[in-house]
């Protein structure tokens, strides 16, 4: 099981902020902004580079979940950033697709 499957299964505790049949969202254990949430498909896609055409509906649900989480957590007015880290140079550390939602402070661009 991936780390995030264990979170879905409640084998590892997390602060869940949103959940549907297909998607779960919980607070990052090491937040990089005042609000830092991971939006994760319950079905494992290792990384965006490995997504297939069949995954398109699930990928769409992930983006809609991002917007829902941002609304729920009051990020809409100030704005927020959505990040996917893919592979070594992208900084991926967990091989289970996840979208970072970061907000609550101005974020620098470009990222480091
Ligand atoms: P990546 O580096 O793969 O893009 O993002 C993985 C994220 O998972 C990191 O931001 C890291 O802080 C977070 N993370 C790692 N282990 C845990 C955990 O056990 N619980 C939670 N909530 N987040 C975790």
């Amino acid at each position: 099981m991936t780390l995030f499957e264990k979170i879905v299964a409640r084998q590892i505790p997390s602060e869940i902020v949103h959940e549907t049949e297909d998607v779960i969202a919980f607070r990052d254990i090491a937040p990089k902004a005042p609000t830092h949430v991971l939006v994760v498909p319950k079905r494992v896609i290792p990384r965006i580079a490995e997504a297939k055409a069949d995954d398109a509906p699930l990928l769409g649900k992930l983006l809609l979940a991002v917007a829902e989480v941002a609304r729920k957590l009051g990020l809409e007015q100030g704005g927020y950033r959505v990040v996917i880290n893919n592979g070594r140079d992208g900084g991926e550390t967990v091989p289970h697709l996840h979208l970072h939602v970061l907000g609550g402070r101005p974020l620098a661009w470009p990222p480091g």
Side-chain angles (χ1 to χ4, degrees), residues 17 27 35-37 67-76 101:
V17 297
R27 291 191 192 273
T35 299
H36 185 175
V37 168
E68 179 64 26
V69 164
R71 265 192 297 275
K72 268 193 187 176
L73 299 184
L75 296 178
E76 230 176 14
V101 182

Side-chain angles (χ1 to χ4, degrees), residues 3-4 7 12-14 26-30 32 36 38 85 91-94 98 100:
L3 175 67
F4 294 158
I7 286 178
I12 294 177
S14 71
F26 50 87
R27 291 191 192 273
D28 197 292
I29 202 168
K32 306 298 186 292
H36 185 175
L38 302 175
N85 295 328
E92 174 199 316
T93 60
V94 178
H98 48 284
H100 296 256

Side-chain angles (χ1 to χ4, degrees), residues 81 103-108:
R81 182 168 296 163
R105 67 168 171 82
L107 298 164

Side-chain angles (χ1 to χ4, degrees), residues 48-72:
I48 194 66
E50 287 171 51
K52 307 279 188 296
D54 285 354
D55 296 322
L58 182 55
L59 296 174
K61 286 176 187 177
L62 286 169
L63 289 176
L64 292 170
V66 163
E68 179 64 26
V69 164
R71 265 192 297 275
K72 268 193 187 176

